[in-house]
């Protein structure tokens, strides 16, 4: 008798994350994917001057390459969610790695800027998006207790790769030109396929439960109880087939779960994140030009970004360790709010920095606060919606953030052109970040904490944000086991009280007592409890 697999399209029951083991390999893959996703659009900027010369375009035209990459990374979130829910993380990441690599390779053969938009921008951006989101989903699958630390370590890939890809791009540009550099960069992006290959899915809890139910089924079948057992088995098989036929049109898991919008915590997080993104990326984008306008030499001005990146490398894992502490993790949303407040106040306080020393101090504090925000942003989302709905949640959040990315930095650039004053921009960006921090903290305290006092605690909820699909899948398994126990002879069960209460078991007891002179029929309920037919009971219990 082979074990039946879980029904096709059914949502597997949640499996306990190992918090280690193969999860460290998954963490390293997520580290690499995060580094490529966030650092690659910025690292490509080293080629812009050569592209401007070859294609006779302006800086704003070439800057659209990075903008399109980021827009694809954020804007295709729902598409990635649908593909992950339909095909799984590993196949989607393998396809994404191939697309990202193919985009840069094809870009090395382009003859105009429009072709660069389509290849390096759209194709490579889509490929990185198909890698970034599934890697975060797999990280949440493999880690639970150590998840804050894992998120912090994975987020550290962004500053590490930014500090390495930019110098590498400059070396490739000098030796091979921008076409050769794009070709080699495309080869490097094939490492995304390697990272996707190590994203091994955990064993499905549904399969294990069905296996246990089938073990009981096989044990009952082995007992010689006569013709009625065969009838019970055939009845059970017929019930299973009928149930399976009914379930086929119902195809379990949703491609994109919009029910998360009924989660107040998710709504608060999304609004706060939208406001945050409006101002978060403005200071690092304008920092170099701001320093140059204050009289700082070009080399020293460029070094300011390196300071931010270096501090960021250590801030993210450190913040992940702090967020994983027992007394901090239940309040991780407030820690995230504090990190945003810290970042916003840093922008506001540095708006009047007029010398290089003041800018260096700003970069140190901005690197710390920026690293804290980067380490906590997805940890808070996982804590709000749970791992079962995270794939849909992150796709929708990234889509909403895409609008903020397209509004914030371009608007800041236009204000600089109009006002010729960076101080106002830093005040505005810092105020937006502070507003997002205050909104998250106040709304979480007023809406969520008070709501928890009024609402009764959820029953049988192993992980926060567990989906209804999981509960449905578990109930299906229980129903299958109940059908199996109801249609078989209860004499197979190890519970002697249930055995005595069943009419068919009583009939078997009568036959056996008549043959071997066992217990009287009238006393079968009491004797079954007291141990009559002890040999037979022990034999059944052994199964």
């Amino acid at each position: 008798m082979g074990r039946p697999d879980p029904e096709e399209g059914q949502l597997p029951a949640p499996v306990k994350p190992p918090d280690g083991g193969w999860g460290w390999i998954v963490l390293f893959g997520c580290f690499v994917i995060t580094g490529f996703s966030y650092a690659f659009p910025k690292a490509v900027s080293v080629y812009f001057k050569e592209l401007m010369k070859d294609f006779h375009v302006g800086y704003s035209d070439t800057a659209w390459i990075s903008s399109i990459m980021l827009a694809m990374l954020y804007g295709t979130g729902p598409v990635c969610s649908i593909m992950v829910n339909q095909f799984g993380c590993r196949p989607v990441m393998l396809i994404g790695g191939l697309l990202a690599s193919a985009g840069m390779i094809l870009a090395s053969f382009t003859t105009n800027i429009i072709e660069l938009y389509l290849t390096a921008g759209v194709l490579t951006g889509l490929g990185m998006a198909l890698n970034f989101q599934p890697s975060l989903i797999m990280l949440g699958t493999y880690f639970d207790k150590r998840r804050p630390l894992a998120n912090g370590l994975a987020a550290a890939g962004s500053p590490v790769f930014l500090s390495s890809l930019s110098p590498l791009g400059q070396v490739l540009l000098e030796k091979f030109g921008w076409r050769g550099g794009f070709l080699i960069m495309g080869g490097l992006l094939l490492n995304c396929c390697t990272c996707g290959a190590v994203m091994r899915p955990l064993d499905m809890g549904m399969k294990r439960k069905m296996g246990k139910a089938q073990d009981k089924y096989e044990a009952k079948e082995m007992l010689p109880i006569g013709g009625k057992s065969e009838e019970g088995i055939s009845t059970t098989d017929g019930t299973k087939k009928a149930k399976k036929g009914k379930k086929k049109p119902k195809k379990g898991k949703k491609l994109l779960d919009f029910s998360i919008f009924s989660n107040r915590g998710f709504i608060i997080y999304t609004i706060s994140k939208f406001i945050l993104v409006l101002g978060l990326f403005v200071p690092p984008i304008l920092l170099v030009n701001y320093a140059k306008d204050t009289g700082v030499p070009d080399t020293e001005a460029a070094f300011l970004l390196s300071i931010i990146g270096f501090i960021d490398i250590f801030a993210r894992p450190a913040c992940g360790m702090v967020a994983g502490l027992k007394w901090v993790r239940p309040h991780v949303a407030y820690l995230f709010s504090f990190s945003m407040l810290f970042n916003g106040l840093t922008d506001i306080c540095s708006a009047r920095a007029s010398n290089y020393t003041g800018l260096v101090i700003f970069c140190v504090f901005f690197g710390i606060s920026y690293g804290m925000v980067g380490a906590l942003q997805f940890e808070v989302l996982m804590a709000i919606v749970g791992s079962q709905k995270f794939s849909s949640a992150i796709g929708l959040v990234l889509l909403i953030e895409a609008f903020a990315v397209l509004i914030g930095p371009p608007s800041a650039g236009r204000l600089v052109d109009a006002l010729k004053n960076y101080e106002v921009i830093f005040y505005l960006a810092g105020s937006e970040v502070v507003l997002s921090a205050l909104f998250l903290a106040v709304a979480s305290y007023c809406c969520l904490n008070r709501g928890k006092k009024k609402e009764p605690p959820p029953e049988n909820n192993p992980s926060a944000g567990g989906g209804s699909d999981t509960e449905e899948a578990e109930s299906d398994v229980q129903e299958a086991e109940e059908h199996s126990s109801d249609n078989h002879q209860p004499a197979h069960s190890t519970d002697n009280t249930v055995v005595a209460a069943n009419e068919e078991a009583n009939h078997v007891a009568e036959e056996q007592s008549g043959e071997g002179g066992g217990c009287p029929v009238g006393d079968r309920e009491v004797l079954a409890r007291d141990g009559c037919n002890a040999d037979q009971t022990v034999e059944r219990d052994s199964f």
Side-chain angles (χ1 to χ4, degrees):
M1 288 281 181
R3 294 183 180 180
D5 293 332
E7 296 179 10
E8 185 180 356
Q10 205 173 37
L11 179 67
V15 183
K16 183 179 179 181
D19 276 309
W22 189 258
W24 297 117
I25 306 298
V26 174
L27 172 59
F28 179 75
C30 189
F31 174 88
V32 175
I33 294 297
T34 303
F36 275 125
S37 299
Y38 279 118
F40 200 84
K42 302 172 186 176
V44 172
S45 61
V46 300
Y47 299 100
F48 285 175
K49 286 187 177 180
E50 293 297 322
L51 294 175
M52 291 166 60
K53 293 179 181 178
D54 284 6
F55 295 143
H56 306 289
V57 294
Y59 180 82
S60 60
D61 296 322
T62 56
W64 270 104
I65 299 174
S66 297
S67 300
I68 293 173
M69 281 187 184
L70 290 174
M72 295 299 295
L73 180 65
Y74 287 96
T76 57
V79 177
C80 297
S81 296
I82 292 174
M83 294 184 67
V84 168
N85 291 335
Q86 181 69 22
F87 304 108
C89 291
R90 181 187 283 178
V92 173
M93 291 184 69
L94 291 173
I95 294 174
L98 292 175
L99 288 177
S101 176
M104 291 304 295
I105 292 173
L106 292 175
S108 65
F109 298 100
T110 55
T111 57
N112 57 66
I113 195 68
I114 301 299
E115 293 176 358
L116 270 178
Y117 292 161
L118 296 176
T119 53
V122 175
L123 201 57
T124 299
L126 177 61
M128 288 190 295
L130 294 178
N131 275 272
F132 176 63
Q133 188 171 320
S135 67
L136 293 177
I137 295 171
M138 290 300 299
L139 191 67
T141 303
Y142 270 87
F143 289 91
D144 183 22
K145 295 180 180 179
R146 297 176 178 174
R147 192 179 65 202
L149 175 61
N151 275 312
L153 291 172
S158 175
V160 170
F161 271 65
L162 181 60
S163 61
S164 57
L165 285 179
S166 295
L168 176 62
Q170 188 64 40
V171 172
L172 295 177
L173 178 63
E174 294 174 357
K175 290 191 175 181
F176 305 103
W178 71 268
R179 294 186 184 275
F182 275 23
L183 191 62
I184 295 174
M185 286 287 193
L188 289 177
L189 286 175
L190 284 175
N191 287 291
C192 295
C193 295
T194 305
C195 296
V198 303
M199 300 294 173
R200 184 175 64 195
L202 292 173
D203 294 334
M204 291 187 298
M206 178 65 69
K207 194 168 185 178
R208 292 179 177 179
K209 290 186 177 181
M210 294 295 289
K212 289 180 181 179
Q214 187 66 14
D215 286 341
K216 295 180 182 179
Y217 175 88
E218 292 175 356
K220 294 171 184 177
E221 185 185 19
M222 293 171 64
L223 290 176
I225 309 176
K228 288 192 176 182
S229 65
E230 296 178 359
E231 294 176 3
I233 294 173
S234 62
T235 304
T236 304
D237 292 340
T239 304
K240 287 183 178 180
K241 290 178 181 178
K243 188 176 179 182
K244 189 173 182 180
K246 292 179 181 179
K247 282 186 174 290
K248 279 186 179 179
K250 178 180 153 184
K251 293 285 177 187
K253 195 171 183 180
K254 300 177 182 178
L255 295 180
L256 194 60
D257 192 355
F258 289 97
S259 66
I260 55 176
F261 283 106
S262 62
N263 186 333
R264 288 179 295 179
F266 176 75
I267 298 296
I268 293 171
Y269 175 87
T270 303
I271 296 174
S272 175
K273 197 70 186 300
F274 178 84
I275 302 173
L276 170 68
V277 173
L278 287 175
L280 181 65
F281 301 121
V282 172
I285 291 175
L286 302 179
L287 179 62
V288 175
N289 290 331
Y290 177 39
K292 290 179 180 179
D293 287 354
T294 58
V296 177
D298 293 353
T299 55
E300 295 180 2
F303 184 69
L304 292 173
L305 291 178
S306 300
I307 295 175
I308 294 177
F310 181 77
I311 300 296
D312 195 3
I313 291 173
F314 298 97
R316 298 194 183 209
C319 185
M321 293 178 64
V322 173
L325 298 176
K326 293 182 179 179
W327 56 275
V328 175
R329 191 170 185 186
H331 311 289
V332 67
Y334 296 104
L335 180 60
F336 183 48
S337 178
F338 170 76
S339 66
M340 293 190 293
L341 181 64
F342 184 17
N343 185 271
L345 293 177
T346 301
D347 295 341
I348 293 173
C349 294
S350 64
R352 304 188 100 183
S354 57
N355 54 49
Y356 189 70
T357 303
L359 291 175
V360 169
I361 295 174
F362 160 73
C363 290
V364 171
F365 285 99
F366 185 85
I368 295 173
S369 60
Y370 190 77
M372 292 176 65
V373 172
L376 295 174
Q377 56 179 345
F378 297 118
E379 169 60 27
V380 173
L381 181 59
M382 289 180 186
I384 291 173
V385 302
S387 59
Q388 292 295 310
K389 294 187 176 183
F390 181 70
S391 60
S392 296
I394 188 175
L396 295 171
V397 167
L398 290 178
L399 176 62
I400 295 172
E401 285 184 23
F403 293 101
V405 169
L406 296 176
I407 294 173
S411 300
R414 290 183 179 180
L415 286 175
V416 169
D417 294 336
L419 302 176
K420 306 296 181 182
N421 187 350
Y422 287 93
E423 184 177 340
V424 176
I425 305 304
F426 274 76
Y427 280 131
L428 181 60
S431 300
E432 290 170 343
V433 178
V434 169
L435 176 62
S436 67
L438 295 177
F439 175 80
L440 177 63
V442 174
S444 297
Y445 178 78
C446 296
C447 299
L448 301 184
N449 288 358
R450 293 182 180 179
K452 288 180 181 178
K453 294 179 181 178
K454 295 180 181 179
E455 296 175 0
E459 298 180 358
N460 299 328
N461 189 13
S463 60
S468 59
D469 293 333
T470 304
E471 298 173 359
E472 183 181 345
E474 291 178 349
S475 65
D476 290 343
V477 176
Q478 292 176 358
E479 289 178 7
E481 291 181 359
E482 289 175 2
H483 278 295
S484 177
S485 61
D486 290 342
N487 290 319
H488 287 6
Q489 295 295 334
H492 300 349
S493 175
T494 58
D495 190 348
N496 290 331
T497 303
V498 178
V499 171
N502 191 282
E503 294 181 1
E504 295 179 359
N506 295 338
H507 180 69
V508 173
E510 285 182 11
E511 293 178 356
Q512 291 178 346
S513 64
E515 293 176 359
C519 302
V521 175
D523 299 334
R524 55 182 171 263
E525 292 184 8
V526 177
L527 293 175
R529 293 189 182 97
D530 295 339
C532 184
N533 292 331
D535 296 337
Q536 183 180 2
T537 304
V538 171
E539 181 182 358
R540 290 167 183 166
D541 288 343
S542 66
F543 282 90

